[in-house]
Each structure stands twice: as structure tokens, then as C-alpha cells.
Amino acid sequence: MIICRSKMEYPLRSQRQRAHKQVMVNGENERVSLLFMKAVVSRGSVDAVSQQMASHPQYLESFLRTQHYILHMDGPLPLPYRHYIAIMAAARHHCNYLVYLHSAQFLRVGGDPQWLQGLEAAPPRLRLLDHINKVLAHQPWLTACSHFQALLKSGEQCWSLAELVQAVVILAHCHSLCSFVFGCDTDTDADFVPSSKSPNGVPPTFCPFDAANGNANVPQSLATPSEHRTRRRSLDSSCDMVCLKERIQKSQEEREKREERLLQTHTLQQTDAEEEDETMCFTDPTRFITDPDLCYQEFARREEDHFQVFRVQDVFSLQDYSWEDHGFSLVNRLYSDIGHLLDDRFRSVTTLPTMHSPDLKRAIWNYIHCVLGIRYDDYDYGEVNQLLERDFKLYIKAVACFPDATKTLVCPLSLAPLKTSERIHVNLLIMEARLQAELLYALRAITQYMIA
């Protein structure tokens, strides 16, 4: 017997599907609005990086949770140290955006303004991090046990193991974030300087920068009108706007009072010329680096094999190390809970609901690890060439290994048809894969130190 479905059933199903999809979209918009509200109330603005990531609210929440934990929550390092280490990390890639952002935050948490004159003005303990900063940023496979021995056994200026682990996490976090900033062209945006006040006293909706195509300077007012209206309605429906304005204004007034007290404490009475010079210290990353010619070099050249490939296998040795089996447990033991937060980031970025297939995501992740000297014995690297076109691989490698070398990265033809959110997802994958690679090398070296 053949059962014929009613003709009305199909339109009804379609309507239910559209209604379900609309509920999901509204839920994601509400989630973004809530995250932005929290940022505005706490900092008075929404930074450009969060605006870019807002197309993936699930990941953004995980990212902000981790970043807040390492920069602001309990930990062995003082708050000014944390932001200064972030400045040092961002300066290795000449990332003006992050250098300025963390310089401002460094002053807000009570950092000594004299340190911002350059690396030479920083305490000796911070200057000792310069070498490991260089190695992790450009050639992480050179990270060795001896680098950590020098820091842990340097007399009065020695670091504790817990302090060093937090410092390494901050360095790796900011190095990889530089890749995202340049990949999304945030650093070249004319309005990259964080604003102390949001326009019209309300939190800005995230700007749909068409970053991968180089259209990073399109004003938000020129964004797709329908998208702008949709986001604005979502924001209006998420809270009472009058209440929100009052909270924002109160937050801004409190922040301005704190900054005034800070200026009075340090008696920063400067002339206009001195103020211009101070502004330069925010935007000139070269003050915070040494050996500026050090950069990424090809890990594996066919005619040279100076370094042993870092292999990830099931059997542990000093050459075989993985995040799941070794890195996670070590970092979580030395820096409480950070392993769980980082693991959530890694899982979140690879499970985002996007058009990219799981095979493509894995190919991007493993290709980045490959160019950084990490190979997986259970992966067929022929898939990389099958799934990633040559121009796509060049783009991935540039963003991951030398993001600041080309100020305007050319969008690969294979990415051009994708939506902005899909291209941002590619840059998120690059950032997280690089972060994990740096952590693996650093944590392996620390393991070697501990068992030596």
C-alpha cells in the first residue's frame, strides 16, 4: 500500500524549519550582544578582535574566557608583568594593534610608565624572557631545555616554574593572536586604536570587515543594511537600552576617575611634545624587541635535515609528545585550570558549524603543524595537497609563520566565494593550530627540564 502525504505537510515542515533556524539565529545574536555588553561595561569598548570573532559566538566565549583568565585572574605573575609580556610577544610581529592595546592596559593595572620606553627600561627578570620570546615566535622547534634552565637558575632574577608556565602561555597566546590580527587585516585598520568611549554611548555591533579581501577600512555605516538592522534589533531586544546607557556611562566615569588617579600617582605632567613621544611608545613595537632580523625559516628543507621532526605518537619519549597525552596534564598541573580552558578553545574551533568539512579543517590544522615541524604518523599528508590549493597553502603559511611580512595578505581564490564568517573561521583555525604548536614545544622542553 502506498501512503500519499498531504500536500499541506511539506509547506508546514518548511515553515517549522525556517522558524527553528530563526530561533537559532536569534539565540546566537543574543549571545553576541551579551558578550559585547559585558565587554562594554568592563572596559568601555569592544575591541576589534572580538568584533571579528563575533561571527562565531561559541568560539568567542571560549576565547574571551581564556584571555581573561591568563591576563586578569589569579596567577603567579603580577598584572603589569602579564601585559608587558604580551607587549613583548606582539612586538616580535610588529603588531601595532596589540602593542597599543596592552600598553594601555599595562598602565591601567598600575604598570610603571618608564617600562614603556623600551625593553631596556624593563626589569631584568622580564628582559630574560626575550630569548624564549624570539624562539617561540619565529622558530619554535629550537625551544630547548637549556632555555628554561637559564631562566629557572639565574640567581636573584630567577623565575619559578609556575611563573614561567604562565609567561609561556601568554607569549604563545599573543604570538598566535598576531596571526589572527594580520590575517583579518585588523592591524592596518585606521581605527585600530581602542576607543575609550563607544559611539552614542551604546555598544557597537560587530563590523563585518571583509578582511581577507583587504576591505578592512569599510566604515560600519556602509555595511550591509539588512545585517546592520538585524544586529541592532537583536541588541535592542536583549536589554533595556536606557539601563544599558546608564551602566555604560557609569562605567566610563569610573574608568576615567581611575585613570586620573593613576596619572596623579605617577605625576605624569608632560608637555605636548612629551605626550606625542609617549604615544609613540605605544605604537612603536621596535622598542620592545632585540635581534629584529630573526624570522621564520623553513623547518624542513630537502637538502638540509638539521632538526629532528617532532612526531606525535602514542608512545611517549622526548621526541614523541602530544597535547592530549602530555601537554594538557602538565600545563594544568603547573598553572591550575588553564589546560581545561585551552582544550576548550582547541575543541571549539574545530567543531564550529561551518561549511568547511572535517577533512578540510584537519588538513589546515595538520599543514600548519607540519610547517612548524610537527607531524602525525597516523595522517596521510597527501590529503593536504588534495584539499588545499597552492594559493591557499601559501596564505595559511604566511599567516601562521610570518604574518607581519606582508601587511596586506592576498585572499586566495578558493576563499573568495566564502562568506566573511567562513574566512574568519580559517584564520581562527590558523591561530589555534599555531598556539598549540608553540605550547607543545615549550611544554616538551619544560618536561625535559623536570625529568633531567
Side-chain angles (χ1 to χ4, degrees):
M1 180 176 65
I2 299 175
I3 300 176
C4 297
R5 296 182 182 275
S6 170
K7 293 182 180 179
M8 291 297 296
E9 182 175 347
Y10 296 101
L12 288 173
R13 182 188 300 171
S14 178
Q15 290 175 7
R16 288 196 298 269
Q17 290 173 342
R18 287 197 297 269
H20 178 68
K21 183 176 181 180
Q22 186 62 40
V23 169
M24 292 179 62
V25 170
N26 290 341
E28 292 296 278
N29 288 340
E30 293 290 338
R31 195 172 186 177
V32 173
S33 298
L34 181 59
L35 290 172
F36 279 7
M37 285 168 55
K38 290 179 179 179
V40 170
V41 171
S42 64
R43 299 193 300 268
S45 64
V46 179
D47 63 273
V49 168
S50 296
Q51 292 175 27
Q52 295 278 12
M53 294 180 182
S55 55
H56 301 287
Q58 176 186 347
Y59 173 82
L60 174 61
E61 188 172 357
S62 177
F63 172 86
L64 292 178
R65 190 185 302 116
T66 306
Q67 182 169 258
H68 182 73
Y69 185 81
I70 64 177
L71 293 176
H72 303 288
M73 298 297 287
D74 291 341
L77 291 176
L79 296 183
Y81 267 52
R82 303 182 197 188
H83 289 292
Y84 201 87
I85 292 169
I87 293 170
M88 292 171 61
R92 284 311 313 180
H93 288 303
H94 303 89
C95 185
N96 294 303
Y97 174 82
L98 291 180
V99 168
Y100 186 98
L101 185 69
H102 286 287
S103 296
Q105 293 182 4
F106 170 80
L107 291 178
R108 290 192 184 113
V109 298
D112 186 345
Q114 297 299 319
W115 296 8
L116 296 180
Q117 293 181 0
L119 193 59
E120 298 80 6
R125 292 185 75 225
L126 285 172
R127 294 202 302 269
L128 287 173
L129 284 178
D130 181 57
H131 187 70
I132 192 67
N133 180 30
K134 291 185 292 188
V135 172
L136 283 174
H138 303 296
Q139 299 173 28
W141 54 87
L142 294 180
T143 307
C145 173
S146 58
H147 296 143
F148 294 99
Q149 285 178 335
L151 292 166
L152 294 165
K153 298 180 179 179
S154 51
E156 295 180 357
Q157 307 301 331
C158 69
W159 288 69
S160 71
L161 197 54
E163 290 175 328
L164 199 51
V165 169
Q166 185 179 16
V168 164
V169 171
I170 294 173
L171 289 172
H173 169 80
C174 290
H175 291 156
S176 60
L177 188 55
C178 287
S179 289
F180 181 82
V181 167
F182 282 104
C184 290
D185 213 15
T186 303
D187 196 69
T188 58
D189 184 5
D191 299 322
F192 77 87
V193 177
S195 174
S196 61
K197 295 184 179 181
S198 301
N200 302 321
V202 297
T205 55
F206 65 89
C207 302
F209 297 136
D210 195 4
N213 280 327
N215 299 327
N217 296 321
V218 178
Q220 186 175 350
S221 59
L222 298 182
T224 306
S226 61
E227 290 185 353
H228 182 74
R229 287 196 297 269
T230 300
R231 291 169 185 141
R232 188 57 179 269
R233 283 199 300 270
S234 172
L235 179 62
D236 292 344
S237 63
S238 64
C239 66
D240 179 63
M241 291 303 297
V242 176
C243 178
L244 179 59
K245 288 182 180 180
E246 291 176 353
R247 292 174 66 187
I248 294 171
Q249 183 176 2
K250 182 179 179 181
S251 174
Q252 291 171 351
E253 291 174 353
E254 291 177 351
R255 187 184 62 260
E256 289 172 356
K257 290 179 181 178
R258 287 196 302 269
E259 291 176 349
E260 289 177 1
R261 289 196 298 268
L262 179 64
L263 292 175
Q264 292 172 359
T265 301
H266 294 288
T267 61
L268 298 179
Q269 300 174 351
Q270 300 172 315
T271 63
D272 292 341
E274 289 174 331
E275 289 175 352
E276 291 178 2
D277 184 63
E278 183 182 356
T279 301
M280 285 300 296
C281 84
F282 284 117
T283 57
D284 183 10
T286 59
R287 295 177 180 230
F288 305 100
I289 63 175
T290 62
D291 196 6
D293 295 330
L294 181 66
C295 60
Y296 172 81
Q297 294 182 355
E298 295 290 340
F299 172 80
R301 293 181 178 176
R302 293 177 181 176
E303 68 272 17
E304 298 178 4
D305 190 19
H306 295 299
F307 308 106
Q308 185 171 9
V309 174
F310 189 133
R311 295 189 180 277
V312 180
Q313 299 173 337
D314 294 333
V315 181
F316 171 74
S317 71
L318 292 182
Q319 287 74 38
D320 307 318
Y321 203 84
S322 71
W323 168 256
E324 295 81 2
D325 297 330
H326 312 106
F328 169 82
S329 59
L330 177 64
V331 74
N332 219 42
R333 178 156 56 94
L334 296 175
Y335 185 12
S336 179
D337 293 330
I338 191 60
H340 294 290
L341 293 170
L342 291 169
D343 197 58
D344 184 60
R345 278 178 60 173
F346 299 147
R347 294 178 186 275
S348 176
V349 77
T350 55
T351 57
L352 286 176
T354 65
M355 293 176 59
H356 306 309
S357 68
D359 289 341
L360 180 62
K361 295 176 186 177
R362 189 180 185 193
I364 294 172
W365 189 280
N366 288 354
Y367 176 65
I368 295 165
H369 279 198
C370 181
V371 298
L372 294 175
I374 301 175
R375 294 182 69 88
Y376 295 84
D377 286 349
D378 61 349
Y379 181 70
D380 179 11
Y381 283 86
E383 291 187 10
V384 171
N385 291 330
Q386 294 174 4
L387 297 173
L388 306 180
E389 297 180 7
R390 185 175 182 275
D391 62 340
F392 194 10
K393 288 197 295 183
L394 291 174
Y395 173 84
I396 292 171
K397 187 174 183 179
V399 174
C401 301
F402 35 88
D404 55 315
T406 305
K407 293 299 182 181
T408 304
L409 295 168
V410 178
C411 176
L413 295 177
S414 54
L415 283 184
L418 299 179
K419 296 187 299 183
T420 301
S421 62
E422 301 293 335
R423 295 196 291 270
I424 289 176
H425 184 219
V426 170
N427 287 318
L428 290 176
L429 283 167
I430 295 171
M431 175 177 69
E432 292 299 330
R434 179 183 176 182
L435 171 62
Q436 189 181 95
E438 285 194 30
L439 289 175
L440 282 173
Y441 280 115
L443 294 172
R444 183 185 66 167
I446 291 174
T447 300
Q448 290 175 323
Y449 169 81
M450 294 175 65
I451 66 177

